[in-house]
Amino acid sequence: MSIRIGIFGYGNLGRGVEATIRQNPDLSLAAVFTRRDPASVQILTEQIPVVAAKDVLLWKDKIDVMILCGGSATDLPEQTPALAAHFNVIDSFDTHARIPEHFADVDAAAKQAGTIGIISVGWDPGLFSLNRMYAGAILPNGKDYTFWGKGVSQGHSDAIRRIPGVKDARQYTVPVPEAMDAARSGKNPALSTREKHTRECYVAAEPGADQNAIEQAIVTMPNYFADYDTTVHFISEEELREKHSGIPHGGFVIRTGKSGWDNGCNHVIEYSLKLESNPEFTACVLAAYARAAYRLHQEGRCGCLTVLDVAPAYLSAQSPEELRSQLL
Amino acid sequence: MSIRIGIFGYGNLGRGVEATIRQNPDLSLAAVFTRRDPASVQILTEQIPVVAAKDVLLWKDKIDVMILCGGSATDLPEQTPALAAHFNVIDSFDTHARIPEHFADVDAAAKQAGTIGIISVGWDPGLFSLNRMYAGAILPNGKDYTFWGKGVSQGHSDAIRRIPGVKDARQYTVPVPEAMDAARSGKNPALSTREKHTRECYVAAEPGADQNAIEQAIVTMPNYFADYDTTVHFISEEELREKHSGIPHGGFVIRTGKSGWDNGCNHVIEYSLKLESNPEFTACVLAAYARAAYRLHQEGRCGCLTVLDVAPAYLSAQSPEELRSQLL
């Protein structure tokens, strides 16, 4: 008997979860929930219903874990606590500054309902957080650095698209190799925002638009670009579509630290991701934590958790005995 | 009030634990236990007793967690279950094939005594196991590769020292860069033992010894060297001492896997360690898990666990609230 998964929201992330479920024989897709007209939503898995979000409670006994695939700005702060009152839930809430508040909301709902909620699951927050935590606990006398990229930042791409004269745009965040080497050196350098990452922009301008003005508007944009060395390339809409339609991302968590009575030895712990699809990979992480949520609920646990609170073995389809004999 | 740690066995690993305790303000060293004459053992921490191993039970109420620093061949299989009957214990048991048996022995003793035992703590088994498990659970449609080095293998160095005519020797295991790149490619190559690592040997021979015979004895030695491309360098005893007296190690866990409905996207998860001192780093990992053992015992848990069973947050000196707001 497999773990019955509901997908709540069917965009890039929801489609990624659907694909991942097919790779995990102990998970099965029960239904996809959408705020759109269900008749307008075509999913890939055969014979699985698409259900109007407002009817979700009719599925209360037919879903073991609901994976929320909405956005962090407005969807998840509302949806995750609301659904935690009826389902075990997993989300990828990624507004770092608001995690404590979101945690409290989901925790209250889940504790009252006796459900499990695991929030902020993905790679940052998520796997990168795990690695910052493990490395920091093991090498307390040290310093960590997170680098992002090379990858597409949706927020920065959108910011460029709002500039008059821009038809479409794609922005890549690129880590600076020299800064990564400095981070690995063990010398604990202070690295400024500008030193750590550059920003590369590919812009398709409207015909006749003033490219100099667009470039100036980009590189001087506060918060988004002004603190970075930013490069702007003007290309055709076709080239943008052909060469820049993927959603790759990734990054590095590097911690160095010293050990020994006189701090004589230096160590480097490095974790990196190179992802061809940011949403599909996030979906893979969500699916593994859905398995964990199901098991924790089966054990009678309830309340809100993050990746830091879940013992690794809960994520694996293998039994503890198999893991000890084959993988440890 | 700090967590009172006992160190059982005072070699390289025990000294590493002693140093690490000084870096963790919530841990304190209570006593060092030795099978040698305690009067002959000089430790670095002032005013801390060195106690005969046979008197360890007198310390039952003065130690929160005992960190076992003996060897996996004969010490730990006996000591860890024996001490788990009286103390919370942590060990770095690293004979992969015998982990299930060791787990069962420690589990029985710890469950009867109501203590916690965490076994096979270090980096492999340990952090590398964690990373193989996380990556495998997240990318089930993929393959992982572990590379070791560049680092000193004590067992291989010892094997060379047993060859007639060898005064001293040091062996480095070296990962092959081309094999690592192949592992990262996502093409799931089958890599033979010979393709993954080379072995570099630095040998100080007795005066007048037959260097050709020594080299042949090394490169043809079954299990240790015959399956590898092995290079032998003869150097003086002084040079061996000067340039090769450290105990560096490290390695890489690389997993690639595919996502998407048609497995169209490839992802690479990579974890690496570059350690200037293998035993000191292992000691750092042991100390973090000692903190976890103490907390789990405070919660009323008992029995044997591995790194796969311990939720990450237990390792950190920070509170769950701090972790969520500052690190997640």
Side-chain angles (χ1 to χ4, degrees), chain A residues 2 12 14 19 25 38 47 56 82-83 106 119 137 145 153 184-185 203 223 258 260 263 269 276 278-279 328:
Chain A
S2 60
N12 283 336
Q47 297 183 315
V56 67
L83 288 170
V106 176
I119 62 161
Y145 299 83
S153 165
R184 292 180 185 116
S185 71
V203 181
N223 302 319
K258 302 205 181 300
N263 293 311
I269 303 176
E276 283 188 359
N278 185 353
L328 194 67

Short mmCIF file of all heavy atoms in Angstrom, two decimals, chain A residues 2 12 14 19 25 38 47 56 82-83 106 119 137 145 153 184-185 203 223 258 260 263 269 276 278-279 328:
data_model
loop_
_atom_site.label_atom_id
_atom_site.label_comp_id
_atom_site.label_asym_id
_atom_site.label_seq_id
_atom_site.Cartn_x
_atom_site.Cartn_y
_atom_site.Cartn_z
N SER A 2 0.70 2.07 -1.01
CA SER A 2 1.59 3.23 -1.16
C SER A 2 1.04 4.44 -0.41
O SER A 2 -0.12 4.48 0.02
CB SER A 2 1.77 3.54 -2.64
OG SER A 2 0.53 3.84 -3.21
N ASN A 12 4.93 24.86 -12.35
CA ASN A 12 6.19 24.14 -12.56
C ASN A 12 6.49 23.17 -11.42
O ASN A 12 6.93 22.05 -11.64
CB ASN A 12 7.36 25.13 -12.66
CG ASN A 12 7.41 25.82 -14.01
OD1 ASN A 12 6.89 25.29 -14.99
ND2 ASN A 12 8.02 26.99 -14.07
N GLY A 14 4.39 21.86 -9.12
CA GLY A 14 3.41 20.77 -9.06
C GLY A 14 3.67 19.70 -10.12
O GLY A 14 3.59 18.50 -9.85
N ALA A 19 5.97 14.26 -11.58
CA ALA A 19 6.99 13.42 -12.23
C ALA A 19 7.77 12.61 -11.19
O ALA A 19 8.10 11.45 -11.40
CB ALA A 19 7.93 14.30 -13.05
N PRO A 25 8.30 4.26 -6.10
CA PRO A 25 7.24 3.25 -6.12
C PRO A 25 6.37 3.23 -4.86
O PRO A 25 5.25 2.73 -4.90
CB PRO A 25 8.02 1.93 -6.23
CG PRO A 25 9.38 2.29 -6.73
CD PRO A 25 9.64 3.68 -6.27
N PRO A 38 -10.99 23.05 -13.04
CA PRO A 38 -10.34 21.74 -13.20
C PRO A 38 -10.41 21.21 -14.63
O PRO A 38 -9.47 20.55 -15.08
CB PRO A 38 -11.13 20.83 -12.25
CG PRO A 38 -11.67 21.74 -11.21
CD PRO A 38 -11.96 23.04 -11.93
N GLN A 47 -5.80 8.79 -15.47
CA GLN A 47 -6.84 8.34 -14.55
C GLN A 47 -6.75 8.92 -13.14
O GLN A 47 -7.23 8.32 -12.18
CB GLN A 47 -6.85 6.80 -14.46
CG GLN A 47 -7.18 6.18 -15.82
CD GLN A 47 -7.27 4.68 -15.75
OE1 GLN A 47 -6.41 4.05 -15.14
NE2 GLN A 47 -8.31 4.11 -16.33
N VAL A 56 -11.38 20.51 -1.56
CA VAL A 56 -10.28 19.69 -1.02
C VAL A 56 -10.70 18.86 0.20
O VAL A 56 -10.23 17.74 0.40
CB VAL A 56 -9.05 20.59 -0.72
CG1 VAL A 56 -9.33 21.55 0.43
CG2 VAL A 56 -7.83 19.73 -0.43
N ALA A 82 -3.97 26.46 6.79
CA ALA A 82 -5.37 26.06 6.56
C ALA A 82 -5.45 24.56 6.25
O ALA A 82 -6.31 23.85 6.79
CB ALA A 82 -5.97 26.87 5.42
N LEU A 83 -4.56 24.06 5.40
CA LEU A 83 -4.61 22.64 5.05
C LEU A 83 -4.05 21.75 6.16
O LEU A 83 -4.44 20.59 6.29
CB LEU A 83 -3.88 22.41 3.73
CG LEU A 83 -4.63 22.94 2.50
CD1 LEU A 83 -3.76 22.91 1.27
CD2 LEU A 83 -5.92 22.13 2.26
N VAL A 106 1.72 27.22 11.25
CA VAL A 106 1.51 25.82 10.86
C VAL A 106 1.53 24.93 12.11
O VAL A 106 0.75 23.98 12.23
CB VAL A 106 2.58 25.37 9.84
CG1 VAL A 106 2.43 23.89 9.50
CG2 VAL A 106 2.48 26.22 8.56
N ILE A 119 7.78 22.42 6.79
CA ILE A 119 7.82 23.64 5.97
C ILE A 119 9.25 23.95 5.49
O ILE A 119 10.23 23.42 6.01
CB ILE A 119 7.29 24.87 6.74
CG1 ILE A 119 8.17 25.16 7.97
CG2 ILE A 119 5.84 24.69 7.14
CD1 ILE A 119 8.02 26.57 8.51
N ALA A 137 27.88 22.77 13.37
CA ALA A 137 27.90 22.01 14.63
C ALA A 137 29.20 21.23 14.76
O ALA A 137 29.71 21.02 15.86
CB ALA A 137 26.70 21.06 14.70
N TYR A 145 30.06 30.03 4.11
CA TYR A 145 29.75 30.90 2.97
C TYR A 145 28.76 30.16 2.09
O TYR A 145 28.94 28.98 1.81
CB TYR A 145 31.00 31.17 2.14
CG TYR A 145 32.11 31.87 2.89
CD1 TYR A 145 33.00 31.15 3.69
CD2 TYR A 145 32.26 33.25 2.80
CE1 TYR A 145 34.02 31.79 4.38
CE2 TYR A 145 33.28 33.90 3.48
CZ TYR A 145 34.16 33.17 4.27
OH TYR A 145 35.16 33.80 4.95
N SER A 153 17.49 33.65 -11.66
CA SER A 153 16.69 34.24 -10.60
C SER A 153 15.41 34.80 -11.22
O SER A 153 15.44 35.72 -12.03
CB SER A 153 17.46 35.36 -9.90
OG SER A 153 16.56 36.14 -9.13
N ARG A 184 37.25 28.92 0.51
CA ARG A 184 37.82 27.60 0.80
C ARG A 184 39.19 27.69 1.49
O ARG A 184 39.71 26.69 1.98
CB ARG A 184 38.02 26.82 -0.50
CG ARG A 184 36.75 26.40 -1.19
CD ARG A 184 37.06 25.64 -2.49
NE ARG A 184 35.85 25.33 -3.22
CZ ARG A 184 35.56 25.82 -4.43
NH1 ARG A 184 36.40 26.63 -5.05
NH2 ARG A 184 34.43 25.49 -5.03
N SER A 185 39.81 28.87 1.47
CA SER A 185 41.19 28.99 1.94
C SER A 185 41.35 28.79 3.44
O SER A 185 42.43 28.51 3.92
CB SER A 185 41.73 30.38 1.58
OG SER A 185 41.11 31.37 2.41
N VAL A 203 18.65 40.31 -22.46
CA VAL A 203 17.46 41.14 -22.63
C VAL A 203 17.05 41.19 -24.10
O VAL A 203 17.88 41.43 -24.97
CB VAL A 203 17.74 42.59 -22.13
CG1 VAL A 203 16.50 43.46 -22.30
CG2 VAL A 203 18.22 42.57 -20.69
N ASN A 223 18.78 47.47 -4.67
CA ASN A 223 18.48 46.13 -4.14
C ASN A 223 18.74 45.01 -5.15
O ASN A 223 19.41 44.04 -4.84
CB ASN A 223 17.03 46.01 -3.64
CG ASN A 223 16.72 47.03 -2.56
OD1 ASN A 223 17.57 47.26 -1.70
ND2 ASN A 223 15.57 47.65 -2.63
N LYS A 258 38.74 25.19 12.10
CA LYS A 258 40.01 24.69 12.63
C LYS A 258 39.79 23.73 13.78
O LYS A 258 38.83 23.85 14.54
CB LYS A 258 40.87 25.86 13.10
CG LYS A 258 41.15 26.85 11.97
CD LYS A 258 42.40 27.65 12.15
CE LYS A 258 42.60 28.64 11.01
NZ LYS A 258 42.70 27.99 9.68
N GLY A 260 41.99 21.02 16.80
CA GLY A 260 43.24 20.79 17.52
C GLY A 260 43.41 21.76 18.67
O GLY A 260 42.79 22.82 18.72
N ASN A 263 44.46 24.90 17.44
CA ASN A 263 43.79 25.22 16.18
C ASN A 263 44.73 25.09 15.00
O ASN A 263 44.73 25.90 14.09
CB ASN A 263 43.22 26.65 16.24
CG ASN A 263 42.10 26.74 17.25
OD1 ASN A 263 41.18 25.92 17.25
ND2 ASN A 263 42.19 27.70 18.15
N ILE A 269 34.62 21.76 4.46
CA ILE A 269 33.42 20.97 4.15
C ILE A 269 32.69 21.71 3.03
O ILE A 269 32.41 22.90 3.18
CB ILE A 269 32.48 20.86 5.37
CG1 ILE A 269 33.22 20.25 6.57
CG2 ILE A 269 31.23 20.05 5.02
CD1 ILE A 269 32.36 20.21 7.85
N GLU A 276 19.69 21.15 -13.33
CA GLU A 276 19.21 21.57 -14.65
C GLU A 276 17.81 22.16 -14.57
O GLU A 276 17.39 22.90 -15.46
CB GLU A 276 19.26 20.41 -15.65
CG GLU A 276 20.67 20.15 -16.15
CD GLU A 276 20.76 19.15 -17.28
OE1 GLU A 276 19.71 18.61 -17.72
OE2 GLU A 276 21.87 18.89 -17.74
N ASN A 278 15.48 23.90 -11.49
CA ASN A 278 15.26 24.29 -10.10
C ASN A 278 13.93 23.73 -9.55
O ASN A 278 13.92 23.04 -8.54
CB ASN A 278 15.34 25.82 -10.04
CG ASN A 278 15.25 26.38 -8.64
OD1 ASN A 278 14.99 25.66 -7.69
ND2 ASN A 278 15.45 27.68 -8.52
N PRO A 279 12.79 23.97 -10.25
CA PRO A 279 11.53 23.45 -9.67
C PRO A 279 11.46 21.92 -9.63
O PRO A 279 10.93 21.35 -8.68
CB PRO A 279 10.45 24.05 -10.58
CG PRO A 279 11.15 24.49 -11.82
CD PRO A 279 12.55 24.82 -11.42
N LEU A 328 25.49 2.64 5.17
CA LEU A 328 26.19 3.36 6.23
C LEU A 328 27.69 3.29 6.02
O LEU A 328 28.40 4.28 6.11
CB LEU A 328 25.81 2.79 7.60
CG LEU A 328 26.19 3.64 8.80
CD1 LEU A 328 25.40 4.93 8.83
CD2 LEU A 328 25.94 2.87 10.09
#
